[in-house]
Structure formats: C-alpha cells, structure tokens
Amino acid sequence: MSLRVDEGEIVALLGNNGAGKTSTLSAISGLVRSSGGRIVFDGQDITRAKPPEIVGMGLVHVPEGRRIFSTLSVQENLQMGGYPVRDQAEIQRRIDHVYDLLPRLAERRDQEGGTLSGGEQQMLAIGRAIVAGPRLLMLDEPSMGLAPLVVAAVMRVIAQINASGTSVLLVEQNARAALRIAHRGYVVENGRCVLDAPAAELAGDERVVDAYLGGT
C-alpha cells in the first residue's frame, strides 16, 4: 500500500468491503500497528507514534459508525474533541466555529447525541474532529446509512472544511459522491492500491464505472 495526501487536497480511497481501507486509516492514526513500511506526516515518521501524539500533530480520524457519546449533549461531545487543547477559550472558539459551519448542531447543543438523526450524528462526529484542530482529517464512510439528500449535505461540509485549509483523506463506499468532491483518488483491492489518478479520470475510467459507479 503506497499513497500520499498533499497539502490542501481531498483524496478518496475507494474499494469494496474488506479491501483494506479502514485498516489503512487505523494504521495511520495509530489504532493498529502496521507490520512494515513507514507512515510519514509533515516529514516526520509517525509509524510507531501513539494515537494521542498523532492527534496532537493535527492528524484526526473520524471512525466508521460515528461513535459519538450518546448520553452526552452535543455541546459536551464537541468539548470532548478538545481534549488535546489546554486553552478552554480556544476550545470554545473552535466549538463556535463548528456551530457556524453546522447550524443544526447549534440548534441542538443541549440535546443528547443519541437522540439526533443519523445525519446529525455524522455532522456531530465531524464537528468533534474539527474541535481537535485537524491539519489532515481522515473520514471513514461518512455517508453510511444516510439518505441521498443527507449524503449530499455531508459532502458539502467536507468540501467546506477542505476549502478552509484542511487536507482530507476520505474512505467512502459511495464512490460517485466521493469523486465529486475529491481532487485525486486511489482504488484499493486486497490491501494494495491498483489505481491512482485525478478524481475526474477515475470517474470516467470504465473499470471504476463498472465496479463502483453502477455501470453508468
């Protein structure tokens, strides 16, 4: 597996279930140990770094399934994202930024996370990651289980985050949605990158169309 994300990019990681996409994100964020090779972030080898150290460097992972704290309020969930930050005023400034970006969360700031809709929970998971101050945001299947209109809204938010200067590595089963906002993409099969091209080229590649875009 060999891939890169350049500063300011959205890079999509596409592939079928079991191809190794989630494992790749978990290895980068230190949740699992890679058996070989090197992981480099901003010129620094982080292959053996611990997850809190990696987050502190600005590499933040939104896992598959959202994993919000269901009994905590929206505000409390966002505060949890600020655990690497000692300045409480800075944490609140970041939370206010999330509320500006995602006004639905502001409306529900006192509501328990578990009572939100699926789309709102995904927005909350992304918002919590923003509070951590990502330079590279890794998202694992953010569209999973969401209605098409909600998927479009999530993708717009990801594009907005990227436009503000945050690089994004996006694992996404919905290849069509991912390639609409990505700059480049990789196709992963059996733990190996088998295609690497600009997003527009992948969207027009017959192999990608047949395998991931429904043949249209």
Side-chain angles (χ1 to χ4, degrees):
M1 173 76 75
S2 179
L3 62 92
R4 76 179 196 279
V5 181
D6 292 331
E7 189 169 353
E9 279 192 314
I10 299 177
V11 174
L13 206 56
L14 311 175
N16 291 321
N17 289 334
K21 306 183 303 297
T22 293
S23 296
T24 299
L25 295 195
S26 296
I28 294 170
S29 59
L31 297 176
V32 300
R33 292 296 185 194
S34 56
S35 58
R38 296 171 69 233
I39 301 167
V40 178
F41 181 61
D42 195 24
Q44 185 172 349
D45 190 330
I46 63 169
T47 311
R48 298 301 171 194
K50 296 179 180 179
E53 297 170 338
I54 292 170
V55 173
M57 295 173 189
L59 203 162
V60 182
H61 183 180
V62 179
E64 181 181 351
R66 300 149 198 161
R67 302 188 194 179
I68 63 166
F69 298 98
S70 60
T71 60
L72 299 184
S73 69
V74 166
Q75 173 75 15
E76 290 167 336
N77 267 275
L78 294 177
Q79 288 171 332
M80 292 295 288
Y83 82 89
V85 184
R86 293 187 177 183
D87 185 342
Q88 293 301 308
E90 174 63 16
I91 293 173
Q92 189 56 52
R93 188 194 66 77
R94 295 181 187 185
I95 290 173
D96 291 340
H97 171 64
V98 170
Y99 286 149
D100 288 340
L101 181 66
L102 303 168
R104 184 66 65 87
L105 294 184
E107 296 169 7
R108 287 158 170 70
R109 69 181 69 199
D110 296 321
Q111 191 170 325
E112 287 188 358
T115 66
L116 302 177
S117 69
E120 290 165 347
Q121 289 186 14
Q122 186 61 66
M123 296 296 191
L124 179 55
I126 293 172
R128 183 177 61 189
I130 292 172
V131 176
R135 296 171 58 204
L136 172 62
L137 180 63
M138 299 194 302
L139 298 156
D140 194 354
E141 302 287 6
S143 78
M144 180 178 289
L146 303 182
L149 284 177
V150 182
V151 172
V154 169
M155 293 298 163
R156 282 196 299 272
V157 167
I158 294 170
Q160 285 179 275
I161 293 168
N162 173 250
S164 71
T166 302
S167 304
V168 177
L169 179 57
L170 173 63
V171 164
E172 183 52 66
Q173 196 74 15
N174 187 333
R176 192 181 302 278
L179 292 175
R180 284 195 188 106
I181 65 169
H183 300 98
R184 291 188 303 110
Y186 295 89
V187 175
V188 181
E189 292 181 2
N190 299 319
R192 301 176 67 88
C193 292
V194 296
L195 284 175
D196 167 14
E201 288 185 21
L202 287 178
D205 188 302
E206 290 184 2
R207 293 165 294 179
V208 177
V209 170
D210 291 342
Y212 306 110
L213 303 180
T216 59

